[in-house]
Amino acid sequence: MKVAVVGAGKLGMTITEALLGGDNEVTLIDKDEALIQKVASRLDILTVTANAKRIDIMKELRIWDYDLLVSVVDEDEKNIVICSFAKRLGCPRVIARVRSPEHVEQIDFIKKVMNIDYIVNPDMACASEIYKYLVEKYTLTDGCYTADGVSILEFKVDKIPGLIGKEIRQTSRLLENMLIGAISRSGKIIVPNGHTVLEAGDTVYVIGLERKIKDLAVEVHDKKRYTDLARVMIAGGGKTGYYLAKKLSDFGVAVKIIELDRARCEYLTDRLNNVLVLHGDATDPNLLQEENLEEMDAFVAVTGFDEENLLLSLLAKQHSIEDVVAKVSRKSYAALIETLGVNMTINPMDMCATNILRFIQKSGIVIFSQLIQGQAEFTEIWAEKGMPITDKTLMELDIPEGVIIAAIHRNNEIIIPSGNTKIQDEDRVVILSLLSSIPLLEGMIKQPKAH
């Protein structure tokens, strides 16, 4: 597929790299010449230094020859205009990043009038995942997701004490014909290998036949409940903080937002009902103590700085807050996050790139996708002859780290695979992947080229 990506910032680069993983032809457009040169030296793609709002540039690129344009520059209005121009010039599909609450409130009207196919909002997506985690406590509905006979169950490993201290390859006696596909540990999702050791406090995601998983669910699950979540403190009154505070307040939770910028505080106060907005520095321990941090049921750090979010998460954990959530965009901090004991971390770039890829593929190979804790995704795909994953045993496949083949539907049979299993043409395959591994996964599931 031929794709134009407008905007070479963090999100633009995440999307570009994910698309390249699927063997697409990508053109990256940005006004910043230094940024474009940096990208051109690193990636083998066509780069263009230009203002994509200019019609002559669009015509020079022959935008009507592209299959898709994605615009993720720094301003909503620019993205809307660029997409609208591209569509009017004949580009079949366009995607815009739109973040402003004012625009989000009238998103359907904008899509219709400006002829935009899909709108992504990383802040809204993050807020929705955090809300789901805090309010429902289960990232999968009822802790269990079922699709045509295959179920995915989430539970604390402490429910089966015999699993604690065991390597994954040693768990088959307790979890017969089931597979541990993922582990949530200290806020980080791990896709395990056979030697990964289960630890007390881990949350595991077990995949198996529906009837077996339902029997297991009876053994390990408390009845689904909404939590007694009553008080939440949010550090950072940006767009993610705004969307999350609104959702929590509407649910009936008492919310405090701490925001450093006075003008932003006034904006939040005007737009949020029943939310206490505090003007101050969330990294000030005295302020946190004055605002009774230790009495909070949850603490969410969504400032614009990863380092600040990590520091705040550590402070919250030291005050024994039950649920601590941090927004972290920089992948290099992954190892550090694990040591802090954070309950959930979320990367808006990975999530946004995944949403775009799933929109592109929804009429093609992807049957369903289910996010877990905003860090990993269960996806079911159709396998087609010629795909890199077909006609080899799983042991022979070059499966990237962070990806696992979880289950296979073949005719009326459901297979929980082993290393000797081969994926065949027309199989339906359930795959678990970390969002950060999506670009690598794209290469494995790319559709064969039509002859």
Side-chain angles (χ1 to χ4, degrees), residues 139-298:
T139 51
L140 304 176
T141 309
D142 290 322
C144 186
Y145 182 91
T146 300
D148 294 334
V150 175
S151 290
I152 300 159
L153 178 68
E154 172 193 0
F155 64 91
K156 285 281 188 186
V157 74
D158 308 63
K159 294 282 185 178
I160 306 180
L163 291 173
I164 298 171
K166 292 277 195 307
E167 292 185 352
I168 294 294
R169 61 194 177 93
Q170 299 172 322
T171 61
S172 57
R173 186 176 60 81
L174 290 169
L175 299 172
E176 188 180 356
N177 291 325
M178 290 177 272
L179 172 72
I180 296 177
I183 301 166
S184 176
R185 178 179 298 161
S186 302
K188 181 183 177 184
I189 294 290
I190 300 165
V191 175
N193 59 40
H195 298 289
T196 303
V197 177
L198 292 169
E199 298 178 6
D202 284 351
T203 295
V204 292
Y205 295 85
V206 176
I207 303 151
L209 301 181
E210 182 178 354
R211 61 181 183 277
K212 280 193 162 290
I213 290 291
K214 284 193 171 172
D215 289 343
L216 180 62
V218 171
E219 180 184 345
V220 300
H221 258 188
D222 301 322
K223 288 183 180 177
K224 177 176 165 63
R225 60 181 176 87
Y226 281 109
T227 68
D228 53 0
L229 187 74
R231 298 171 299 276
V232 176
M233 184 178 285
I234 301 172
K239 294 180 180 69
T240 304
Y242 167 82
Y243 290 128
L244 179 61
K246 190 172 189 312
K247 282 173 132 346
L248 289 172
S249 178
D250 289 346
F251 183 72
V253 175
V255 181
K256 288 183 181 179
I257 294 182
I258 302 177
E259 169 56 43
L260 189 58
D261 184 272
R262 181 177 290 278
R264 184 66 182 174
C265 287
E266 292 171 359
Y267 172 91
L268 294 169
T269 302
D270 289 342
R271 295 184 64 88
L272 292 172
N273 297 320
N274 303 316
V275 172
L276 179 60
V277 180
L278 302 166
H279 175 234
D281 182 356
T283 61
D284 179 358
N286 293 327
L287 175 62
L288 296 176
Q289 191 169 351
E290 286 170 15
E291 294 304 328
N292 304 314
L293 172 63
E294 67 281 353
E295 294 179 9
M296 296 294 141
D297 300 310

Side-chain angles (χ1 to χ4, degrees), residues 3-23:
V3 184
V5 177
V6 183
K10 281 184 188 175
L11 180 56
M13 290 311 303
T14 303
I15 293 165
T16 297
E17 289 171 2
L19 289 167
L20 288 173
D23 200 26

Side-chain angles (χ1 to χ4, degrees), residues 30 80-81 87 99 185 187 200 234 240 339 347 412 423 439 448:
D30 198 287
I80 291 168
V81 168
K87 195 67 176 283
R99 304 173 65 193
R185 178 179 298 161
I234 301 172
T240 304
T339 66
N347 185 321
N412 295 320
I423 296 170

Side-chain angles (χ1 to χ4, degrees), residues 372-388:
I372 55 172
Q373 291 197 13
Q375 294 177 53
E377 180 182 52
F378 282 105
T379 305
E380 186 175 10
I381 66 158
W382 286 109
E384 296 183 12
K385 192 170 183 62
M387 276 185 177

Side-chain angles (χ1 to χ4, degrees), residues 297-318:
D297 300 310
F299 181 88
V300 182
V302 287
T303 74
F305 303 97
D306 288 355
E307 296 83 0
E308 205 167 280
N309 292 336
L310 291 171
L311 171 63
L312 288 165
S313 299
L314 182 59
L315 282 171
K317 271 298 172 187
Q318 287 174 345

